Amino acid sequence: MRESLNNELRAMARELLTSDEGLMHRSRRPIEPEAVFGQIKYDNHFKRFSYRGKRLVNAEFAAIAVAHNIRKMIAKGYCVCSEVAVG
């Protein structure tokens, strides 16, 4: 019973992934997710976390990831900073 459900779910996932929408979505995803971690480490000179404890490390990494994504958006021209009022 469990094996037939597993096979059914795999077939459903395969159909979704090979559909036109699934192929379009997959083409937008990076080929190697490890590249992002390499960019964060090399480009931002990130060597180690400043805080200890799971909650604080998660918060620190979330801030690093947001900053990385903002840099990517600016580089691709998604952010028009001249429209933002400062002060």
Side-chain angles (χ1 to χ4, degrees):
M1 169 116 176
R2 185 171 174 90
E3 187 175 323
S4 65
L5 176 62
N6 205 8
N7 290 336
E8 188 177 321
L9 291 174
R10 284 180 189 212
M12 188 185 313
R14 188 174 292 115
E15 283 180 37
L16 289 172
L17 290 170
T18 56
S19 69
D20 289 340
E21 186 177 344
L23 291 172
M24 182 185 69
H25 178 70
R26 284 179 33 220
S27 71
R28 292 183 185 174
R29 297 193 49 83
I31 295 170
E32 293 186 36
E34 292 85 9
V36 172
F37 296 109
Q39 291 166 0
I40 288 172
K41 286 170 65 177
Y42 182 77
D43 295 342
N44 302 332
H45 309 288
F46 182 77
K47 301 291 182 214
R48 64 175 59 173
F49 290 101
S50 300
Y51 299 100
R52 298 292 172 249
K54 188 175 182 178
R55 185 178 63 84
L56 292 175
V57 167
N58 283 342
E60 185 177 4
F61 185 74
I64 291 167
V66 167
H68 177 76
N69 287 333
I70 289 171
R71 277 191 212 95
K72 279 179 31 180
M73 290 175 67
I74 291 170
K76 290 184 178 185
Y78 292 125
C79 295
V80 181
C81 297
S82 62
E83 296 177 5
V84 177
V86 177

